[in-house]
């Protein structure tokens, strides 16, 4: 590694974590927790010491720590699980009702064994959990911890507001365990937080600054308003908007009417559209902030917003997972943003999700290793990720190179914006002076940030490099997303973007969840969302395409229009587009190996989701092309698609909605005329005329870069054969086998097994409500879930599928499927 990254004249990391304002001399250093001391006593006294002894002891203390009252029903329940799993010593301890406090600690002797634990305090939230969790939830937690080791370790670092929704959710623990496998490790969090230590105290400084300016009575309300207007905003603009709203609201006599408050916001925030400049995401929370009798008792909608508010009021346990934490962790921000129901909000739940809880726990877990609270771990990571990402974008240098060249200095980190500094500078100071806060501003004492950069070990430096590598990957993804806007400007000649435009509602007439075709649009949207989620990773990428080695883009929602045959009605179902970047040859075609990967992806996708087939295509602007590019910033409107189909049908062209832009794949030899393009743009609603009369959004000529003979994996005829024949599976496996052994192995990862299990569960939940399902498909999914694609291949060869139609009652269904639509009946 180059010498620029925290080497040479690096200064050791500052000492014990300080709980109080660092402007005074009062400090409180953390001591090793009771859990840590008990663990090492058990390890040395009962388990023979060493690493294995510590591991065995931790299994005991993890459960002992959960005892709300020594010797209660929880202990008996834990003992039962211990004995069932042949952990007799642990079972004996629990049966005896031994809590942590009963384990003898002998001062210096234990301290000697603690070693690094004294430097890495626990900071678990189990004491907080004990105040909230019921005995029933404790039992759920113990059982879940027994079966999910990563969840067991992380759960100790979960706030009750995060843990309770997980335990109350049927799949919450499994989802959290899965997320913990892909999140940055605690070691990575620790190293990144240490690197950002020059900005440690961001929230402490902001909390104190708000109290200094607004006083103890108004500071919580202003903090709530500041959090309410934070979505989709920079720190600087967030503060500027909030100060203007506060000034104008107080000047108006602090009105409590929602309409008046929104009008004030419209007059206060940046933008020239009045109330239209106020984001919907700000309105309800701002109203809560300004009208609550006691702002310290409110819950704001959205886990990020609510956590931000609590951090700004000195709650050091909450973690604000915003866009920059998404950047750091490689988790799609869409997985962190959610809106609670009215009932959840009334119960104090801002809308916590397993994703948010898992990331928060990991930040606390790693932060504790660095001697930091949850809020400090987040603020220092934030202060590392932000300059890395911004400097990478500004200089064009990869994030790892920036570190190697020593360009991310303590000064750069300390320059990340914070409210305590911004409040008393420039325009912000002038707004506060006009609002009557000049004396308070003059009395403010600047916060003293840590002067030194921590000294990181070689291993910790490597962890920071891993963080930088994730930021490089994110930069590359954003570059692909930007380049993919080829519907406005022609794409480069050496690459293109191809999308699998897939529906999730099963094909008509195959006897699998048939009522979905007639269900409400909301029901189909919900079903499609679940299927899409099963095939999407935490970063928002399609797992099949990612496993195949494609540079992926984020999966997008789209509108489908499909007809199984001329005799069948047209289906208008929601769907999703899974785009990838592909290279092009000098002749403008996709290399054959890439084509096969695309087809293999379509084969697996269509089979697992019960489709007649799965298409994929990729459009480039081309004046000589016979296809048509339809420019849009989001998915096509369903009504617009229906208008197009009503006029043009689907006989001469297929609609490929990519979620951002669409293509009309022309099946005739005649290209679209300029008049047709305008008419089609009008039907889709893309054509706009500005005040100067400039017309935009007219569809342009393009060409599909995909080989038309490869671009649709068709298995409609195979679904008509006997479920025992394995026709669908054999056709799919034939495509997967063309990947070669290395390509097949790369595709056959754990996430494919997890996706198969998720799909099986989605379909089974429908079956429990009386929906017919194809048991041959369910059998396929179960085999993939348990044994992977390699196991499925073996099962096909061994003919382990259901042998006959009669076994699952599909014979009448298969017969009806083989008939024209007008001859089909339910009789």
């Amino acid at each position: 590694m180059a010498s620029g990254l925290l080497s040479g004249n690096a200064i050791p990391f500052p000492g014990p974590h300080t709980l109080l304002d660092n402007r005074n001399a009062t400090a409180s250093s953390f001591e090793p927790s009771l859990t840590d001391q008990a663990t090492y006593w058990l390890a040395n006294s009962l388990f023979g010491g060493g690493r294995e002894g510590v591991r065995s002891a931790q299994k005991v203390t993890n459960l002992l720590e959960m005892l709300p009252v020594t010797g209660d029903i929880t202990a008996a329940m834990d003992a039962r699980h211990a004995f069932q799993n042949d952990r007799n010593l642990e079972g004996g301890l629990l049966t005896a009702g031994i809590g942590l406090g009963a384990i003898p600690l002998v001062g210096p002797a234990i301290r000697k064994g603690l070693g690094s634990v004294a430097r890495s305090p626990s900071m678990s939230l189990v004491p907080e959990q004990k105040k909230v969790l019921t005995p029933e939830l404790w039992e759920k937690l113990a059982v879940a911890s027994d079966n999910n080791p990563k969840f067991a370790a992380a759960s100790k670092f979960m706030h009750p507001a995060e843990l309770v929704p997980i335990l109350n959710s049927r799949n919450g623990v499994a989802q959290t365990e899965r997320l913990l496998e892909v999140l940055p490790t605690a070691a990575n969090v620790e190293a990144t937080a240490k690197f950002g230590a020059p900005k440690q105290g961001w929230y402490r400084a902001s909390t104190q600054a708000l109290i200094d300016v607004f006083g103890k009575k108004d500071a919580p309300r202003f903090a709530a308003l500041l959090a309410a207007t934070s979505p989709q905003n920079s720190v600087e603009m967030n503060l500027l908007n909030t100060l203007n709203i506060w000034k104008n609201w107080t000047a108006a006599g602090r009105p409590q009417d929602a309409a008046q408050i929104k009008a004030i916001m419209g007059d206060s925030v940046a933008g020239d559209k009045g109330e239209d400049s106020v984001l919907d995401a700000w309105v309800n929370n701002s109203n809560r902030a300004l009208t609550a009798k006691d702002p310290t008792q409110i819950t704001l909608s959205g886990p990020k917003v609510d956590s931000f508010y609590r951090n700004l009021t000195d709650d050091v346990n909450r973690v604000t997972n915003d866009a920059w934490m998404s950047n750091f962790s490689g988790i799609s921000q869409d997985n962190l943003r959610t809106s609670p129901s009215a009932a959840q909000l009334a119960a104090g739940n801002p809308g916590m999700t397993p994703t948010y809880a898992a990331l928060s726990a990991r930040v606390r877990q790693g932060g504790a290793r660095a001697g930091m609270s949850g809020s400090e771990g987040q603020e220092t990571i934030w202060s590392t990720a932000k300059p890395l990402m911004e400097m990478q974008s500004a200089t064009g240098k990869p994030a790892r190179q920036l570190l190697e060249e020593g360009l991310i200095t303590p000064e750069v980190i300390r320059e990340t914006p914070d409210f305590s500094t911004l409040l008393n500078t420039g325009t912000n100071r002038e707004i506060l002076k006009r609002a009557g806060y000049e004396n308070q501003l003059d009395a403010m004492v600047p916060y003293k940030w840590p002067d030194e950069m921590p000294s990181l070990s070689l291993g910790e430096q490597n962890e920071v490099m891993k963080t930088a590598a994730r930021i490089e990957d994110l930069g590359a993804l954003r570059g692909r997303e930007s380049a993919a806007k080829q519907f406005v400007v022609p794409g480069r000649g050496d690459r293109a973007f191809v999308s699998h435009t897939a529906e999730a509602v099963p094909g008509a007439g195959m006897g699998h969840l048939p009522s979905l075709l007639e269900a409400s649009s909301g029901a189909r949207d919900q079903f499609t969302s679940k299927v899409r989620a099963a095939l999407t990773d935490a970063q928002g990428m399609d797992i099949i395409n990612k496993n195949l080695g494609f540079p992926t883009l984020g999966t997008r929602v789209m509108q489908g229009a499909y007809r199984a045959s001329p005799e069948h009605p047209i289906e208008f179902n929601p769907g999703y587009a899974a785009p990838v970047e592909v290279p092009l040859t000098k002749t403008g075609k996709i290399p054959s190996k890439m084509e096969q990967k695309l087809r293999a992806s379509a084969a697996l996708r269509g089979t697992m989701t019960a489709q007649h087939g799965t298409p994929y295509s990729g459009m480039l602007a081309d004046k000589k092309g016979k296809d048509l590019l339809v420019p849009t910033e989001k998915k096509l409107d369903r009504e617009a698609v229906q208008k197009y189909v009503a006029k043009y049908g689907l006989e001469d062209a297929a609609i490929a909605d990519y979620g951002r832009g669409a293509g009309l794949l022309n099946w005739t030899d005649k290209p679209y005329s300029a008049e047709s393009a305008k008419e089609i743009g009008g039907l889709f609603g893309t054509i706009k005329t500005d005040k100067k009369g400039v017309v935009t959004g007219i569809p342009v000529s393009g060409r599909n870069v995909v080989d038309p003979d490869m671009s649709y994996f068709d298995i409609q005829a195979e679904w008509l054969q006997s479920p025992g024949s394995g026709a669908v599976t054999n056709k799919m496996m034939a495509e997967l086998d063309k990947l070669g052994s290395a390509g097949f192995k790369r595709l056959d990862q754990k996430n494919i097994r997890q996706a198969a299990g998720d799909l099986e569960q989605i379909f089974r939940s429908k079956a429990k409500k009386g929906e017919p399902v194809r048991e041959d498909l369910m059998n396929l999914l179960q085999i993939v879930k348990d044994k992977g694609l390699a196991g499925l291949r073996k099962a096909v060869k061994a003919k382990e599928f259901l042998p006959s139609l009669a076994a699952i009652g599909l014979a009448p269904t298969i017969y009806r499927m083989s008939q024209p639509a007008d001859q089909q009946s339910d009789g």
Side-chain angles (χ1 to χ4, degrees), residues 485-664:
K485 294 180 179 179
Q486 57 190 4
F487 306 103
V488 179
V489 295
R492 281 173 44 182
D494 61 350
R495 63 178 177 176
F497 296 91
V498 173
S499 291
H500 290 88
T501 46
E503 295 184 16
V505 174
M510 64 171 52
H512 187 73
L513 308 181
S515 69
L516 275 173
L517 287 169
E518 303 300 327
S520 68
S521 59
R524 281 179 289 152
D525 282 340
Q526 185 180 44
F527 177 82
T528 299
S529 177
K530 291 179 180 179
V531 171
R532 183 177 71 246
L535 296 170
T536 305
D537 69 11
Q539 196 180 10
M541 305 294 127
D542 182 78
I543 62 170
I544 299 176
N545 286 337
K546 200 168 185 179
N547 287 8
L548 287 167
F550 285 111
T552 55
L553 289 79
T555 298
R556 308 160 181 169
V557 295
M558 68 88 171
Q559 175 60 49
Y562 169 72
R563 171 175 273 170
S565 71
E567 293 80 21
H568 284 79
I570 295 174
E571 300 173 26
F572 296 97
N573 288 317
Y576 62 95
V580 299
E581 181 184 296
V582 295
L584 296 178
T585 65
K586 291 182 179 180
T587 59
K589 295 183 178 181
I590 301 175
S592 58
K593 287 186 178 180
M594 286 290 179
E595 284 273 12
Q596 185 54 54
K597 286 183 179 181
L598 290 167
R599 187 164 175 82
S601 176
L604 181 58
R605 190 184 315 278
T607 300
M608 291 176 70
T609 59
Q611 301 300 306
H612 289 155
T614 303
Y616 54 97
S617 60
M619 301 288 287
L620 283 177
D622 186 343
K623 292 181 179 180
K624 298 180 179 180
K626 66 174 185 175
D627 302 314
L628 204 62
L629 288 170
V630 182
T632 62
E633 289 297 318
K634 56 184 180 180
K635 75 180 187 73
L636 293 174
D637 180 76
R638 174 173 172 162
E639 291 184 3
V641 172
Q642 289 174 321
K643 288 179 181 178
Y644 168 85
V645 172
K647 184 172 181 61
Y648 289 98
L650 289 178
E651 288 73 30
D652 295 333
I655 301 174
D657 184 358
Y658 303 121
R660 295 175 193 166
L664 292 182

Side-chain angles (χ1 to χ4, degrees), residues 322-334:
D322 63 356
W324 292 106
M325 293 303 290
S326 170
N327 296 344
F328 158 74
S329 64
I331 297 295
S332 170
Q333 195 178 4
D334 290 340

Side-chain angles (χ1 to χ4, degrees), residues 22 198-203 205-206 414 418 420-421 447-452:
N22 72 355
K199 201 65 176 185
Q200 185 174 352
W202 198 103
Y203 288 112
S206 297
R414 276 192 290 271
D418 66 277
S420 66
T421 303
Y447 191 84
K448 181 172 171 46
W449 304 101
D451 292 326
E452 303 168 343

Side-chain angles (χ1 to χ4, degrees), residues 88-361:
N88 294 328
L89 175 58
E90 177 187 332
L93 289 170
L94 292 167
T95 302
I98 297 176
L100 291 178
I103 294 177
L105 300 176
V106 288
I110 297 297
R111 297 283 176 163
K112 184 177 180 180
L114 284 172
S116 62
V117 173
R119 296 189 296 273
S120 300
S122 171
M123 297 188 202
S124 84
L125 293 181
V126 172
E128 294 298 315
Q129 295 169 8
K130 290 179 179 179
K131 299 175 184 177
V132 176
L133 269 64
T134 63
E136 292 77 15
L137 287 176
W138 278 112
E139 179 164 3
K140 284 185 179 181
L141 178 58
V143 173
S145 298
D146 251 4
N147 300 322
N148 302 276
K150 287 185 172 62
F151 174 78
S155 67
K156 295 193 300 179
F157 295 91
M158 287 183 184
H159 193 278
E162 300 160 356
L163 183 57
V164 170
I166 290 175
L167 295 176
N168 283 330
S169 171
R170 184 178 62 180
N171 299 317
V173 172
Q175 291 176 23
T176 307
E177 177 87 355
R178 190 181 301 180
L179 286 161
L180 289 166
E181 293 177 354
V182 299
L183 283 172
T185 63
N188 184 259
V189 169
E190 175 190 15
T192 309
K194 282 185 177 182
F195 188 84
K199 201 65 176 185
Q200 185 174 352
W202 198 103
Y203 288 112
R204 182 71 51 160
S206 297
T207 298
Q208 189 62 56
L210 296 185
I211 294 173
D212 289 348
V213 174
F214 300 101
K216 292 184 178 180
K217 183 178 180 180
D218 271 347
R221 192 179 302 280
F222 185 86
L225 181 63
L226 195 56
T229 57
S230 63
Q232 303 176 53
N233 236 343
S234 66
V235 170
E236 296 89 341
M237 189 56 67
N238 180 199
L239 181 59
L240 180 63
N241 283 341
T242 306
L243 288 173
N244 277 319
I245 294 170
W246 183 266
K247 174 179 69 69
N248 294 334
W249 179 68
T250 54
R254 302 194 172 198
Q256 300 294 289
D257 178 70
Q260 285 181 272
I261 290 173
K262 186 173 182 182
I264 289 171
M265 293 176 70
D267 292 336
S268 306
V269 303
D272 57 2
K273 298 179 181 178
E275 291 187 27
D276 288 341
S277 295
V278 180
L279 297 185
D280 291 339
W282 302 344
V283 176
N284 290 337
N285 277 332
S286 295
N287 193 59
R288 292 184 185 101
L290 296 178
T291 61
K293 290 183 179 180
D294 183 356
T296 65
Q297 299 301 310
I298 64 174
T299 300
L300 297 179
S301 177
K304 176 262 178 183
V305 174
D306 190 67
S307 297
F308 191 36
Y309 159 59
R310 294 174 190 276
N311 286 154
L312 291 172
T313 55
D314 211 29
D315 184 336
V316 300
N317 287 328
R318 299 300 182 101
V319 176
T320 300
N321 293 318
D322 63 356
W324 292 106
M325 293 303 290
S326 170
N327 296 344
F328 158 74
S329 64
I331 297 295
S332 170
Q333 195 178 4
D334 290 340
N335 293 326
L336 298 170
R337 291 185 294 211
T338 185
S339 297
S341 66
Q344 286 178 313
L345 203 58
N349 181 355
M352 287 294 178
T353 64
T355 306
Y356 200 96
L359 181 54
S360 297

Side-chain angles (χ1 to χ4, degrees), residues 732-781:
M732 178 193 78
M733 294 303 302
E735 294 298 335
L736 301 190
D737 286 340
K738 293 175 184 176
L739 295 171
S741 58
F744 185 92
K745 186 176 181 179
R746 181 171 183 172
L747 173 62
D748 191 15
Q749 295 184 32
K750 183 178 180 180
N751 56 8
I752 294 295
R753 297 193 292 275
Q754 291 172 336
D758 290 346
L759 291 171
E760 182 191 27
Q761 189 174 70
I762 292 167
F763 299 159
R764 286 290 182 205
S765 67
K766 291 286 185 182
K768 288 178 181 178
K769 298 178 181 179
E771 258 316 270
V773 294
R774 287 188 63 117
E775 289 297 342
D776 55 339
L777 173 60
M778 304 305 290
N779 195 34
L780 178 151
L781 292 173

